[in-house]
Amino acid sequence: MLVEDIGRMLSSDSLAQARAAAPEEGRPVSFREDVRSLLLRLLVSVVKEREPEVAALLTGQVSIGELEERYRIPALQATGIWFQLLTISNELLAIRSRRELEQAGGADDVVGSFANVAAEAAAGGYSAEMVQEVMDGLWVGPTMTAHPTEAKRVTVLQIHRRIYRKLTKIEQQRWAPRERDLLVDDLRGEIELLWATGELRIERPSVEREIAWGLHFFREVIFEATPILYETVELALRRHFPNYELKVPSFMRYASWIGGDRDGNPNVTARTTAFALSENRKAAVEWHIRQLRRMVTVLSVSANVVDIPDSFQQALERALAASGAAAEIPARNPNEPFRQFAAALLARLEMNVGKGQGTAYPNVEAFIADLRCLEKALDQVGARTAARRLVRPVVRQAESFGFSTVALDIRQNSTVVNRVLAELLAAGKPGEQAPQPDTAKWSQRIREILRNGERPKIDLERVSDEARELVDLMTVVRDAAAERSGAIGAFILSMTRSADDILSVYALAQFCGLATAADGSGTINLQVVPLFETIADLRAAPAILEQLIDVSIVRRSVREFGNRQEIMLGYSDSNKDGGFLAANWELNKAQKRLAALGAKRGIGIRFFHGRGGSVSRGGAPTGRAIAAQPAGTVAGAMRVTEQGEVVSSKFANRGTGLHQLEILAASVFAHSLKSANEAELRDNPEFNEALEALTGMSQAAYAGLIGEPGFIGYFNQASPVEELALLKIGSRPARRFGARDIADLRAIPWVFAWSQNRHLLTGWYGIGSAINAFVTVRGESGRELLRQLFERSRFFRLVIDEVDKTLYQADMDIGRQYAELVSDREIGERIYRKIAAEYALTSRMIVDIAGGTDFSLRFPAFKRSFDRIRPEMDSIHALQVTLLQEVRERAKASSGSQRAVNALLLSINCISAGLGWTG
């Protein structure tokens, strides 16, 4: 397809609406000027100075198909920036909307907030004692990962943050026209920088840069937002349970995979893990130092004005003695004991990062004890508000982040762990044949190792680089775990297929010095977490867990970690393995069965949900997704991954970050408190039978597509899957072990590619066939049963709703353009027709099951948001098809054009920005 043949205009409702509201360029900005109109006006003025022809595209005077080839890159750049600015404006408007709701009716009106949840709990008759019991056990663990789904550079994200903050300033009503115009000019400067910075990475980011990227969100948002979250919870509970002094613990437990996830990523080594631990520690301690410096500045309470408690005077003497500046601090701040105390704490804490000459804090608990002493003393002298506003947030931060910011998880694939353990066994007894993994002898040998506490001496110079690297890693883990600072999280074993796989990690840990007793009678000082990813592994999970907890050292180790076994559930690979409905139902069933087994065996089960950004990878709205979990499976504790672009979309700005943390925590609390009594989560044998039938038929339809002759060729040619690697959006390869089949392809590029060609089949394929077959066999009673299921099952309604939204974003007309890229026309046409037919069938079935309700009535905001950019998206897809043809043809001729490649990559970024995710 030639670019001249691209027929769709790049103007759309979003541009038309913004243009209609936009004032003339030279006109002063009105206090009430719409934020989108302002951003469009400024973008047009920036582009007009540099590329006048492209500015005409933004104003709707020309279409992208009418632009000359040399304007492709600036046209895509301008459109991509417009999508980014729309996202920023949507974020700002969402916060404004929540504030207006709260102003009009109170915090209880903000759905999903803690105030809303507490109001419902009080109205529902839940007692303060029940609320306190759930609150005492609350444990919420957002886990940052560096999954390669963030297509934007960190520099670009920083500009986005500055634009957001400038917009929040501009919307305030206190400015004179001259002052506001200066602020608008600053905003225009940021858009200029956004244009001049460029989106595309020149090189793939290093793991070290990914570590800095992850910590950026803590420094900018999460450190500060977390104590505000706790205060928000306290206010909500105080308002709805006024006769009780309910206590709110510091329940947020942040974790990270960045620098610890080496599954298929050779760039993550023991050295980078040690670096990550060091950087995480430095970030937390330096943050605490900043807070203490602020206290030193403002705590001007004079001993000449208030009576200082004797207990605090004694604590001050001890703090000064440990500070290494017992004479200097009082001389600098005479008669100001609180300032002196804060200065003494500061001097000690600086020693934790190698500065000064005092005594460093041995652990965060000692630091917290000093902070609580300061808070109590301020309260005793009548400075209660100062204690609450200045000191308590720092106590909360110390309790939540410690001296490590996050608990760093280690992740490795079971194949690698088994291979290394087999090699170490062979190296420990030269000349003796070691058993092979997945055999009865292997299973017997591992249990023998753990029972006897074996720790063979191994010459690491005589083993492979892979084995030496894993041993070096476990040595880093051992040293960090010995400090008991919370710096090390869990060892996540991806692709867990058997109890032996998990026991191999225990054996490896024992070999590397993580056992607490030499004779096998102790525990392993490392939490080992199986990750069940495929449909078969989810089904086998309960049997695997039962075999695991039959092993004595595992039972003892689990008991040591609070008698709770964490289990990670993989949404991505299960979807790639069995399709959307099968994956979600098997995940649901696995949780129920595992929780029941835990209750039977007397151990708690904490689920770790490995969700991604797109619906296909579990990225449903947080509140609804948690509310739809099976009753009793959350039980106060939940971990969830925050991956790639999800991290920046949630935590780039404090207002949004605080809201997202509140929604997550409030949802975990609400489910834990109420799920046992909620009819929509109650097991219904008839519903379960229907879901089993639907799942089987859906999985069969999905497998039929994947197994269709020529399907792999269709996937590779009718999508930009091979070109995605050129984006350089993460440090790890797209494939685990380098094979070229779909099984080895990671789930992220799988979803990414189907999103780019607007098939989006990972979020709906097979469900239409399943519903149709069910209704065909059971007739009208079957249809009525599915409608009841939709009405009365929170799980099934969430599935259907997310399928409906995915179908709305999918577009088979656009999909046909990509199908025409397949060189074998028979294959391209056959597979496209199969997908298009299933799309049409699924669309009809969803409308039928949902009761015929119009999509615009079910999801008006979602529809408006996507309709706003749909025409622009359509034209970019058309251009991307042309660019794929050009890039591939030139690659065959060995005459590649970097401009064509760059234009293609910009089109990928534009589409990702429009959809709101990459993978």
Side-chain angles (χ1 to χ4, degrees), residues 278-289 293 346-356 359-361 403:
S278 174
E279 290 297 292
N280 293 344
R281 177 181 177 83
K282 186 165 71 172
V285 174
E286 287 181 347
W287 178 266
H288 299 323
I289 286 172
R293 284 177 179 156
L346 174 60
R348 290 195 67 183
L349 198 55
E350 286 180 332
M351 276 300 299
N352 286 72
V353 289
K355 299 176 184 177
T359 303
Y361 278 104
F403 284 165

Side-chain angles (χ1 to χ4, degrees), residues 859-910:
F859 305 107
F862 180 89
K863 183 178 185 299
R864 280 196 306 271
S865 179
F866 194 67
D867 285 351
R868 192 175 286 126
I869 61 167
R870 185 186 287 274
E872 292 136 301
M873 290 281 286
D874 292 356
S875 65
I876 294 166
H877 282 291
L879 178 56
Q880 186 181 88
V881 170
T882 298
L883 291 166
L884 282 168
Q885 286 177 317
E886 291 182 10
V887 167
R888 290 170 180 177
E889 286 169 5
R890 289 175 178 174
K892 288 178 186 175
S894 300
S895 60
S897 163
Q898 190 58 45
R899 283 189 62 81
V901 170
N902 286 345
L904 174 60
L905 299 182
L906 280 171
S907 74
I908 291 172
N909 276 3
C910 281

Side-chain angles (χ1 to χ4, degrees), residues 606-662:
R606 179 171 64 227
F607 290 109
F608 181 6
H609 297 262
R611 295 178 176 273
S614 65
V615 169
S616 311
R617 299 183 55 242
T622 301
R624 291 196 66 196
I626 294 174
Q629 298 306 311
T633 57
V634 174
M638 175 182 276
R639 269 230 273 170
V640 60
T641 53
E642 306 288 1
Q643 300 182 7
E645 83 279 353
V646 174
V647 177
S648 57
S649 69
K650 288 185 176 181
F651 304 115
N653 302 297
R654 196 178 75 178
T656 303
L658 177 58
H659 177 68
Q660 292 294 336
L661 291 175
E662 184 178 0

Side-chain angles (χ1 to χ4, degrees), residues 185-196:
D185 204 41
D186 286 346
L187 180 59
R188 187 184 190 280
E190 296 293 352
I191 294 174
E192 283 181 344
L193 289 174
L194 190 57
W195 177 270

Side-chain angles (χ1 to χ4, degrees), residues 370-381:
D370 278 349
L371 289 170
R372 288 197 179 281
C373 178
L374 176 58
E375 182 184 8
K376 180 181 177 182
L378 281 168
D379 187 73
Q380 287 174 326
V381 301

Side-chain angles (χ1 to χ4, degrees), residues 262 266 268-271 273 412 416-417 419-425 427 458-478 508 511-512:
R262 62 237 316 116
V268 180
T269 64
R271 182 173 296 179
T273 297
Q412 184 53 283
V416 174
V417 171
R419 190 163 58 220
V420 166
L421 184 60
E423 184 179 348
L424 295 179
L425 286 174
I458 298 166
D459 183 359
L460 292 180
E461 296 301 317
R462 302 183 62 181
V463 300
S464 66
D465 290 345
E466 179 182 61
R468 192 179 309 113
E469 171 58 37
L470 192 50
V471 170
D472 287 346
L473 165 69
M474 297 302 277
T475 303
V476 171
V477 170
R478 180 197 66 202
L508 183 64
F511 280 10
C512 296

Side-chain angles (χ1 to χ4, degrees), residues 543-569:
I544 292 171
L545 179 63
E546 184 135 44
Q547 292 171 32
L548 186 67
I549 56 183
D550 278 339
V551 179
S552 297
I553 196 169
V554 173
R555 276 201 315 277
R556 293 194 297 270
S557 299
V558 169
R559 202 175 301 126
E560 190 70 17
F561 284 101
N563 200 37
R564 194 184 286 266
Q565 172 66 53
E566 187 169 287
I567 294 173
M568 187 169 182
L569 305 169

